[in-house]
Amino acid sequence: MARKQKNPRDRYSYLRELVTEFQDTSSIEAKEQVLANLANFAYDPDNYKHIKDLNIVDLFLDQLKEDNQNLVEFAIGGICNLALDKYFKQMIHNRGGITSIINCLSNEREETVLSAITTLMFLVSPESKEDITTASVIDCMLRFQKSDNRRLSNLASVFLKDYCTTEQTENAKLISSAYSRHSFDSGV
């Protein structure tokens, strides 16, 4: 059975309506639902042109700074869905999104942290690698690697193995060790 193709104009109109609803509603529940829908649409490359035209990446990036954890989780999920595409990868990097994504590593929600790690891996490019594989991010991955949570531990291990040099990992361990000794010695 052939898959029925949706009319691109209908798709654009629907996405535009979602963005407008997100911007116009004062209901938190409605914002969460709309953002979850937009994140799901970001999974389909057929929607990429519309997502670009409607500046949905900026909407996702803005939500990473929110206090509402549902909005943060849906936004990082949407960014993760777009991050392998070359255009969006460049856009996220150029808009300073890497810092906001790194900040999601300290989130209390497992899904948010997992999406943030995955997104960082997807975003690694010659232009962004230095911004992503910092000593503090590597230290975070080293701590995640020791987690009892297998999903978190495994994903952190992949990040360290595939994106970090042995030298970077050793330097992060030294910095962390020196910081720990300093904090202990000064009573912090």
Side-chain angles (χ1 to χ4, degrees):
M1 181 181 283
R3 189 176 123 188
K4 185 179 176 188
Q5 294 293 320
K6 290 185 179 178
N7 182 332
R9 246 183 264 153
D10 292 344
R11 202 180 280 241
Y12 176 83
S13 296
Y14 183 69
L15 288 170
R16 187 181 63 214
E17 287 173 22
L18 286 174
V19 170
T20 301
E21 182 180 349
F22 184 86
Q23 293 168 336
D24 290 349
T25 188
S26 57
S27 165
I28 295 300
E29 293 80 18
K31 280 188 179 291
E32 291 171 353
Q33 183 64 45
V34 168
L35 201 63
N37 285 332
L38 288 171
N40 286 334
F41 276 100
Y43 186 73
D44 185 348
D46 288 343
N47 295 320
Y48 285 3
K49 180 184 179 340
H50 308 308
I51 288 169
K52 176 185 171 189
D53 293 344
L54 294 166
N55 297 315
I56 293 173
V57 171
D58 289 330
L59 189 145
F60 287 148
L61 289 170
D62 289 345
Q63 298 316 300
L64 294 181
K65 299 172 185 133
E66 288 296 318
D67 291 331
N68 180 311
Q69 293 306 304
N70 289 332
L71 293 177
V72 173
E73 182 177 330
F74 300 143
I76 191 64
I79 293 168
C80 188
N81 285 339
L82 297 170
L84 278 175
D85 178 80
K86 288 179 185 179
Y87 173 81
F88 290 117
K89 182 183 299 217
Q90 187 73 37
M91 176 187 250
I92 293 163
H93 183 253
N94 290 345
R95 298 261 201 303
I98 290 173
T99 300
S100 296
I101 294 164
I102 289 171
N103 289 338
C104 289
L105 296 175
S106 62
N107 194 283
E108 60 197 34
R109 287 195 177 178
E110 176 183 349
E111 291 304 318
T112 299
V113 174
L114 293 169
S115 291
I117 296 170
T118 304
T119 303
L120 289 172
M121 291 191 293
F122 289 168
L123 290 174
V124 170
S125 68
E127 298 81 27
S128 66
K129 187 169 185 172
E130 190 175 308
D131 297 330
I132 294 172
T133 59
T134 64
S136 62
V137 170
I138 294 169
D139 179 56
C140 189
M141 295 303 159
L142 289 166
R143 285 184 279 119
F144 288 157
Q145 193 177 35
K146 296 174 185 171
S147 172
D148 291 335
N149 180 320
R150 299 294 295 159
R151 293 171 68 202
L152 187 58
S153 174
N154 289 342
L155 200 52
S157 294
V158 169
F159 182 95
L160 292 167
K161 181 179 179 283
D162 291 354
Y163 300 98
C164 305
T165 65
T166 303
E167 182 181 350
Q168 285 177 306
T169 304
E170 292 306 316
N171 285 341
K173 288 178 183 177
L174 287 172
I175 291 169
S176 178
S177 175
Y179 177 77
S180 295
R181 280 195 307 274
H182 172 73
S183 295
F184 180 74
D185 293 343
S186 63
V188 175

